[in-house]
Amino acid sequence: MPEGFSGGLEGVVAAETVLSDIDGEHGRLLIRGMPLERLAERGFEAAVALLWEGIVAGELDSGGMVVLLGKARIAASRNVGRWLPSARGKAVPQGLRLALAAIPDASTPAEVAAALPVALAALTRARRGLEPVAPDPRLTTAADFLRMLRGEQAEAREIAALDAYLATVIDHGLNASTFAARVVASTHASLAATATAAYCALTGPLHGGAPGPVLDMLDAIGSPERVEPWLEQALEKGERLMGFGHRVYRVRDPRAEALKAALLRLDPKAGRLALAQEVERCALALLKRRKPGRALDTNVEFYTALLLDALALPRENFVSVFAMSRIAGWIAHAFEQRRTGRLIRPASRYIGPRAA
Ligand code: ACO
């Protein structure tokens, strides 16, 4: 009978990977050997090409990935009629679950990944009483998603900001959703089933569901003079401040810095930035005072909220926009798990009653 037990599997190594490496002490992230900062500059399709090396046929560069994902968005758009009628009127994460469930099991990696931007745009438009806009396969994922969502071409600086965001959050070690993906992939279930499970894990507020609540917090605070009393009161009530803390990072999450830079490039006067910076400054000071034994710093979700808000994306979409990127990571991990891993089947320690 195994003896060791680590709550939340903290510190447990459950996979070997060549996909990403987090240095939590120094705040550094490598994606397949490339520093995050360089990847963010190269954009989403380049990041997918890097992660999917050996998964899709041939050696794809950024341009090749634009073509592959573009064709896959066209295929995904043919599927929309199968799930949209029942997803209409549902909350976005719930509607997206229906879209994911409708992805055919035999789909290729590109078809699974491309289903999300198509579905999210169609679902958001349906909630406004609008028809879906057909994909343009020549565009990047960022450009086409904003176009399908709005029904018109986005500005170049908006596309660049979303592209940098998608590249920044594409993969991040064995986070909860990626672990969920690896568990499902380890049973040799389909890629569509793997992505659906991972998406469900992502939606919780302790993981990818935090940025919507970050904006709720900024709204509730409202003005700079209310920052400190509001945060004090929240902590007094035992609440967690959304956008702060991380299982692995003991310093500032490097993705927060990359996203702040993208936000400043998009709009140096971004509406909520001044208030957000005051909230960040005050939250870090309060967390340091109240939790001296635990180094809590800003995580990726704080600036995700500000960036996606500056792109005028509805906050109920934030977790699904995150998934549009992370799905490429889940897919890479699924392949790696199937190639190199075993069935994931940990043990539990029974602490219930035993018959006398
Ligand atoms: N606000 C207030 N207190 C916090 C916060 C926070 N954001 N984060 C951690 N703490 C406290 C905990 O209450 C705990 O205190 P205690 O020891 O007195 O009970 C201590 O710090 C350690 O917390 P853990 O639960 O051990 O931290 P864990 O590694 O399990 O959690 C997590 C990490 C879930 C991200 C946590 O920091 C949190 O809830 N943050 C807020 C939600 C959030 O921002 N989620 C997005 C994370 S990034 C991502 O997943 C993409």
Side-chain angles (χ1 to χ4, degrees):
M1 185 70 183
E3 285 303 311
F5 168 61
S6 167
L9 299 182
E10 184 159 8
V12 173
V13 176
E16 289 190 316
T17 185
V18 298
L19 299 170
S20 54
D21 182 37
I22 307 167
D23 177 348
E25 296 300 324
H26 300 98
R28 287 197 281 261
L29 172 61
L30 289 180
I31 305 291
R32 217 168 195 154
M34 183 175 293
L36 168 73
E37 297 70 18
R38 250 179 50 218
L39 197 69
E41 282 166 16
R42 295 180 61 184
F44 180 61
E45 269 74 12
V48 181
L50 188 66
L51 271 188
W52 286 9
E53 226 178 272
I55 291 178
V56 292
E59 271 188 33
L60 286 185
D61 59 5
S62 172
M65 194 51 75
V66 170
V67 173
L68 190 72
L69 290 176
K71 279 189 195 148
R73 285 196 302 280
I74 297 283
S77 70
R78 295 196 195 104
N79 218 11
V80 167
R82 291 176 55 191
W83 59 267
L84 190 57
S86 44
R88 233 179 258 279
K90 300 228 170 15
V92 171
Q94 206 183 335
L96 248 280
R97 289 207 298 271
L98 292 171
L100 281 159
I103 300 175
D105 274 328
S107 300
T108 63
E111 285 163 355
V112 172
L116 274 188
V118 171
L120 183 55
L123 188 58
T124 309
R125 288 178 67 81
R127 287 169 67 74
R128 296 175 188 151
L130 300 168
E131 289 302 311
V133 169
D136 180 342
R138 298 163 304 174
L139 299 179
T140 62
T141 300
D144 205 22
F145 170 66
L146 291 174
R147 194 191 127 272
M148 287 188 287
L149 190 70
R150 298 176 179 176
E152 61 185 23
Q153 192 82 24
E155 288 178 37
R157 64 190 178 96
E158 294 179 301
I159 295 168
L162 183 61
D163 198 34
Y165 168 73
L166 295 176
T168 299
V169 301
I170 195 165
D171 196 45
H172 202 241
L174 212 52
N175 59 85
S177 58
T178 301
F179 184 54
R182 288 191 82 123
V183 170
V184 177
S186 84
T187 72
H188 292 200
S190 72
L191 214 48
T194 299
T196 306
Y199 175 79
C200 293
L202 186 74
T203 53
L206 299 193
H207 189 15
V214 168
L215 282 194
D216 296 340
M217 173 176 74
L218 295 179
D219 282 350
I221 293 174
S223 57
E225 69 282 359
R226 281 172 42 85
V227 170
E228 188 161 352
W230 195 96
L231 294 176
E232 283 271 24
Q233 201 183 31
L235 289 171
E236 202 53 50
K237 284 192 277 180
E239 289 173 11
R240 290 183 176 215
L241 304 180
M242 293 292 128
F244 299 94
H246 199 272
R247 175 61 62 79
V248 183
Y249 290 118
R250 292 294 162 253
V251 292
R252 192 183 171 83
D253 184 331
R255 299 168 300 171
E257 209 46 57
L259 296 185
K260 185 176 178 182
L263 174 66
L264 289 172
R265 281 196 301 274
L266 172 66
D267 181 3
K269 294 198 206 73
R272 298 172 194 264
L273 189 57
L275 177 65
Q277 283 180 322
E278 178 53 17
V279 169
E280 185 182 16
R281 189 198 60 73
C282 187
L284 294 180
L286 291 177
L287 288 170
K288 196 169 177 181
R289 201 166 74 220
R290 285 177 169 260
K291 308 276 174 195
R294 185 89 179 182
L296 298 171
D297 214 317
T298 316
N299 68 43
V300 66
E301 302 294 36
F302 194 73
Y303 284 96
T304 290
L306 297 172
L307 184 68
L308 298 186
D309 184 51
L311 286 167
L313 294 168
R315 69 186 73 179
E316 59 166 0
N317 280 12
F318 287 1
V319 69
S320 307
V321 178
F322 186 173
M324 270 169 46
S325 163
R326 186 56 65 81
I327 198 167
W330 297 331
I331 289 168
H333 278 271
F335 273 84
E336 189 178 57
Q337 179 64 37
R338 288 188 62 157
R339 245 190 337 243
T340 63
R342 291 176 69 202
L343 171 72
I344 296 177
R345 203 306 184 189
S348 52
R349 184 190 297 157
Y350 179 69
I351 55 165
R354 291 187 190 279

